[in-house]
Amino acid sequence: MCEIEILPLASMEITLEKIELLKRLFPEVFKEGKIDFDLLKRTLGQWVDPGKERFGLNWPGKAECMKVIQTPSVGTLLPMRDESVNFDSTENIIIEGDNLEVLKLLQKSYFGKVKMIYIDPPYNTGNEFIYPDNYREGLQEYLRFSGQVDADGYKLTANTETEGRYHSKWLSMMYPRLFLARNLLREDGVIFVSIDDNEVHNLRALTNEVFGEENFVGIIVWQNATDNNPSNIATEHEYIICFAKNKSDLPTEWKSESLYTKEQLVKIGQILAARNKSLEELRADYSRWFKENRRFLGPLDRYKYIDFEGVYTGSQSVHNPGREGYRYDVIHPKTGRPCIQPLMGYRFPPETMNQLINEGRILFGEDERKIVEIKLYAKDYRQKLSSVIDLDGRLGAYDLTRIFPNSNRLFNNPKPVELIRSLIDFVCSPDDLVLDFFSGSATTADSVLHLNKQDNGNRKFILVQLPEKTENPEYPTIAHIARERVRRVIENLNAEDSDKLDLGGNARQDRGFKSFKLASSNFKVWDGAAERMTDVAQTIDMFAENIKEKRSQEDILYELLLKAGFPLTSPVEKMTLAGKEVFSVAEGTLLICLEEKFTLDVIEAMVDLDPSQILCLDKGFQNNDQLKVNVVQTIKSRNRHEESDIVLRVV
């Protein structure tokens, strides 16, 4: 009768969003350049006999993974104001919950918006906690795990090698999460996954399938330990696998301009330049400092020269790479003879070389037998992302100890801030969004906040962490540790920048986070429990009041934001229209009225603000069909005469 849309309370159905672009959105169905039609059918929800599967990664339970992916979540994310910092203004998010359910809930609001994902999933060492029970739970199992419903019979398991499906269980846990995570990446987005020898071979095959082998970017070998135990081969490294959403959309190279060692070297140059009057004194002073500290400079240990412009080294970038370049003579200023030319000639014409010489940018050797170099200042240094990183793995524990000086071993094997910060620095621009859905102790958030301080950026983060139990009564779950760590990092950064805070005592950068907790929907969702009821009257009574008890308007508001496709950090303004409370989202793009009774005047007032969407509770119509007809006609008239396109939805 009335053209009013019903807002779906389940999360976005993935396959319906992806059928259009097979190659870009379903790289997993392409095998050796050809479409595997059986796999395509299974990806689209049709059963295919596993016996017909051909070349590719396969394991017991794989076919079930697609069913897990395609089962929508009917959960919600409840706001936790008391566990947040600057809740109303921040764009950072920390979510406590099962990451599979959370990834489903984020699909509509964050589809294609994440620049970088970093995850540190369980390494499947056989003893660690992997995931509750059967590794692919739905919302009800998570609610039992987190104590939100009756937990009788619920258990946690470790995936030991004596299990018959040791690798299969781990793959069944990872596959749907990686599949859903890929949807959230931007077209130029990338994912980094930490792993060790236990599953690196399976993870590489799995990411080949989910992201497409053509989107493999590289593997970083992280040398993070010195193993003195007797063994055949001492294992002193882990891996970080990197894939792109679409490798063709990445820049040709990643370069980092922010490096702690570089910053310190630039500062040393400034200090020495300020206290020395002559160039000879400056060079002698720096030479002494350089000899004492060279071993600490890492990739900058070639920067052994200084002038009043700063510390510098010689760069061989005068060489023409790969093919014949320019040929001409560069005369040595002391010997008067031509300097030896690079093997393939110079990379720029003689006019450019003469200009560099006149500017003092060319470095000559003692005589003409050395090829000239370009003067490269430390302040202009840009680091490459190497396939081998040498970084002490214990630094992560030291980071945590500095933040929690009175607590011992809050979290096992946290990743170092320096490691994650460097990855973010190479990949992300100052305003990008970073996601970590195995966030642990929140190293990723720590890294984002410190990098923002370093370069005055405004990167945002979303963390997801299962409330895994700890033995620490002060922080009963890992999610508690994560939130407290980020709180303390923010406090420390604000203390360091006390002279830069605004009048309200807040940093001009975004130093806050919204906390959310995974829970069942605020609305009573028709499911199997209702269908099994034999008493029709009981069923009708159950859904007559479709909002659950003890759920606030703010709880409902954030569920509607998610289900309507708006980010959880969308600005929300409360206003009064025609005597009723209305929420204006994203500067009026969406208007939400949660009043249980309203009149046509309220709808007309909202329509006058020309939003894209209006959301109301169905019960607000009070079973008044005439009111529904009037509301629909009001919106139709507005759309027709004002060229608007207002959509009215109810829940």
Side-chain angles (χ1 to χ4, degrees):
M1 180 186 64
C2 295
E3 297 178 12
I4 300 177
E5 296 184 16
I6 304 297
L7 181 72
L9 292 176
S11 60
M12 188 174 74
E13 295 188 40
I14 306 306
T15 55
L16 298 180
E17 301 291 330
K18 290 192 163 185
I19 297 174
E20 297 295 326
L21 301 172
L22 280 178
K23 182 64 177 177
R24 292 177 72 88
L25 296 180
F26 289 142
E28 66 276 9
V29 306
F30 288 82
K31 299 299 178 186
E32 299 180 329
K34 297 180 180 179
I35 299 175
D36 184 333
F37 287 98
D38 285 345
L39 182 54
L40 175 58
K41 290 177 182 178
R42 187 161 57 251
T43 301
L44 297 176
Q46 299 179 29
W47 174 254
V48 177
D49 184 357
K52 295 181 180 179
E53 293 178 340
R54 293 182 289 276
F55 174 80
L57 180 64
N58 194 24
W59 67 91
K62 181 180 180 181
E64 292 294 318
C65 285
M66 196 54 63
K67 294 181 180 180
V68 172
I69 292 169
Q70 293 171 342
T71 302
S73 174
V74 290
T76 189
L77 300 176
L78 299 180
M80 304 166 68
R81 276 188 175 269
D82 293 343
E83 295 286 344
S84 306
V85 176
N86 298 329
F87 184 93
D88 290 319
S89 59
T90 184
E91 293 185 79
N92 300 315
I93 298 171
I94 299 179
I95 301 170
E96 175 184 313
D98 160 26
N99 53 19
L100 180 60
E101 290 293 312
V102 172
L103 286 170
K104 290 181 180 181
L105 291 173
L106 296 180
Q107 293 294 302
K108 193 169 186 179
S109 297
Y110 291 92
F111 193 97
K113 293 183 179 179
V114 176
K115 171 61 179 179
M116 172 181 152
I117 296 173
Y118 170 79
I119 54 173
D120 183 17
Y123 283 6
N124 206 13
T125 58
N127 297 315
E128 64 190 334
F129 168 77
I130 297 281
Y131 209 72
D133 204 15
N134 67 3
Y135 307 96
R136 42 178 170 49
E137 283 67 17
L139 181 64
Q140 282 303 113
E141 282 74 11
Y142 165 75
L143 296 178
R144 286 201 295 273
F145 165 70
S146 59
Q148 297 182 51
V149 296
D150 182 12
D152 289 345
Y154 197 78
K155 62 186 178 73
L156 302 180
T157 62
N159 192 25
T160 62
E161 291 189 51
T162 57
E163 291 278 344
R165 297 172 63 183
Y166 175 63
H167 293 293
S168 297
K169 284 187 173 183
W170 188 85
L171 287 166
S172 291
M173 183 270 292
M174 289 295 294
Y175 184 78
R177 288 161 176 81
L178 290 174
F179 191 102
L180 293 167
R182 183 182 180 275
N183 296 339
L184 302 181
L185 284 175
R186 289 175 8 187
E187 292 303 304
D188 62 346
V190 295
I191 183 170
F192 293 93
V193 186
S194 283
I195 201 68
D196 71 359
D197 284 324
N198 286 285
E199 295 290 354
V200 64
H201 50 298
N202 286 329
L203 177 63
R204 175 63 196 278
L206 186 61
T207 44
N208 278 348
E209 179 162 317
V210 173
F211 291 89
E213 192 169 2
E214 69 276 10
N215 292 314
F216 173 66
V217 179
I219 295 181
I220 297 171
V221 178
W222 172 29
Q223 184 177 342
N224 60 355
T226 300
D227 188 353
N228 295 318
N229 296 318
S231 59
N232 298 109
I233 298 177
T235 301
E236 300 180 339
H237 67 280
E238 295 179 12
Y239 308 95
I240 303 174
I241 293 181
C242 180
F243 270 78
K245 175 79 169 286
N246 288 296
K247 190 176 179 180
S248 60
D249 289 330
L250 296 186
T252 54
E253 65 174 354
W254 284 329
K255 291 282 189 176
S256 168
E257 294 187 0
S258 50
L259 181 69
Y260 178 77
T261 305
K262 165 188 163 180
E263 292 180 350
Q264 300 307 307
L265 199 56
V266 170
K267 288 181 181 178
I268 287 296
Q270 294 170 343
I271 292 171
L272 297 184
R275 77 184 189 192
N276 289 283
K277 295 183 179 179
S278 70
L279 184 59
E280 291 76 12
E281 292 173 339
L282 175 61
R283 287 175 172 169
D285 201 357
Y286 180 68
S287 179
R288 288 190 295 270
W289 182 92
F290 183 79
K291 289 178 181 178
E292 295 174 359
N293 295 279
R294 182 174 185 173
R295 66 185 184 277
F296 304 117
L297 296 180
L300 296 174
D301 63 356
R302 296 187 305 110
Y303 283 73
K304 56 185 179 181
Y305 308 109
I306 193 171
D307 61 22
F308 285 102
E309 291 295 317
V311 176
Y312 65 88
T313 188
S315 168
Q316 295 181 343
S317 55
V318 297
H319 296 231
N320 198 60
R323 57 186 176 85
E324 185 69 13
Y326 294 95
R327 294 290 183 183
Y328 51 83
D329 287 336
V330 175
I331 304 301
H332 193 278
K334 291 183 180 179
T335 68
R337 289 188 286 269
C339 295
I340 294 177
Q341 294 184 11
L343 179 63
M344 302 302 293
Y346 294 106
R347 70 184 305 165
F348 32 71
E351 304 83 48
T352 303
M353 177 64 78
N354 290 333
Q355 181 179 347
L356 292 172
I357 292 173
N358 293 334
E359 293 174 353
R361 298 275 307 282
I362 294 297
L363 300 177
F364 293 88
E366 291 296 323
D367 56 37
E368 72 280 358
R369 290 176 294 180
K370 186 178 186 301
I371 299 173
V372 300
E373 295 180 333
I374 294 180
K375 183 185 290 187
L376 180 64
Y377 285 100
K379 61 186 177 183
D380 298 322
Y381 175 78
R382 298 175 68 198
Q383 185 186 21
K384 66 179 181 181
L385 181 54
S386 174
S387 64
V388 179
I389 295 177
D390 185 358
L391 182 67
D392 191 338
R394 294 171 296 182
L395 292 176
Y398 298 156
D399 292 335
L400 211 53
T401 299
R402 281 193 294 270
I403 299 170
F404 296 92
N406 300 319
S407 300
N408 293 323
R409 295 192 68 83
L410 277 178
F411 186 81
N412 292 328
N413 304 316
K415 292 296 184 285
V417 169
E418 184 176 342
L419 176 69
I420 310 306
R421 180 172 61 179
S422 67
L423 297 178
I424 298 170
D425 189 19
F426 277 107
V427 172
C428 295
S429 298
D431 293 315
D432 285 339
L433 176 61
V434 180
L435 168 65
D436 183 347
F437 53 88
F438 284 100
S439 70
S441 65
T443 298
T444 298
D446 193 337
S447 304
V448 168
L449 291 167
H450 273 94
L451 184 57
N452 283 344
K453 171 182 167 61
Q454 185 174 313
D455 66 4
N456 201 34
N458 193 34
R459 300 166 189 85
K460 281 79 68 176
F461 60 79
I462 299 177
L463 305 187
V464 185
Q465 175 55 43
L466 191 75
E468 182 183 344
K469 303 295 188 295
T470 70
E471 296 180 359
N472 189 314
E474 188 175 4
Y475 308 110
T477 72
I478 294 176
H480 283 85
I481 295 172
R483 288 191 295 264
E484 181 60 21
R485 175 179 185 167
V486 181
R487 269 192 290 268
R488 294 189 180 197
V489 168
I490 290 171
E491 290 173 0
N492 292 340
L493 289 176
N494 285 343
E496 293 172 10
D497 293 343
S498 58
D499 59 332
K500 301 177 184 177
L501 303 182
D502 60 24
L503 295 178
N506 299 311
R508 292 180 174 86
Q509 288 181 319
D510 184 352
R511 291 183 184 160
F513 61 90
K514 291 178 184 280
S515 285
F516 293 89
K517 181 177 183 178
L518 177 64
S520 59
S521 173
N522 295 287
F523 302 92
K524 296 175 183 176
V525 180
W526 190 279
D527 57 14
E531 293 173 0
R532 289 190 296 270
M533 289 183 178
T534 56
D535 188 335
V536 176
Q538 180 187 6
T539 305
I540 294 174
D541 289 342
M542 176 183 175
F543 288 94
E545 173 55 64
N546 72 330
I547 299 176
K548 293 179 180 176
E549 295 181 1
K550 299 181 180 179
R551 297 295 176 92
S552 68
Q553 278 204 348
E554 188 166 63
D555 294 340
I556 299 170
L557 171 67
Y558 278 95
E559 177 166 2
L560 296 184
L561 285 184
L562 271 179
K563 303 299 169 62
F566 283 76
L568 292 166
T569 55
S570 299
V572 178
E573 180 186 357
K574 189 184 295 186
M575 60 176 62
T576 301
L577 297 176
K580 299 294 183 179
E581 194 173 80
V582 173
F583 296 96
S584 173
V585 180
E587 299 180 343
T589 304
L590 169 66
L591 296 180
I592 300 177
C593 181
L594 301 178
E595 296 282 354
E596 297 188 0
K597 295 181 180 180
F598 55 78
T599 63
L600 183 59
D601 292 342
V602 180
I603 300 297
E604 289 177 340
M606 287 194 283
V607 168
D608 286 342
L609 296 178
D610 198 25
S612 295
Q613 294 186 59
I614 295 176
L615 271 176
C616 300
L617 298 179
D618 187 52
K619 65 185 300 183
F621 287 99
Q622 308 162 63
N623 294 320
N624 187 335
D625 289 342
Q626 186 58 49
L627 177 59
K628 288 185 177 182
V629 171
N630 292 339
V631 166
V632 169
Q633 291 304 318
T634 297
I635 294 177
K636 276 187 174 181
S637 176
R638 174 72 180 215
N639 290 345
R640 184 168 56 251
H641 293 103
E642 302 294 335
E643 296 185 353
S644 299
D645 192 21
I646 301 173
V647 176
L648 173 64
R649 292 190 172 99
V650 297
V651 61

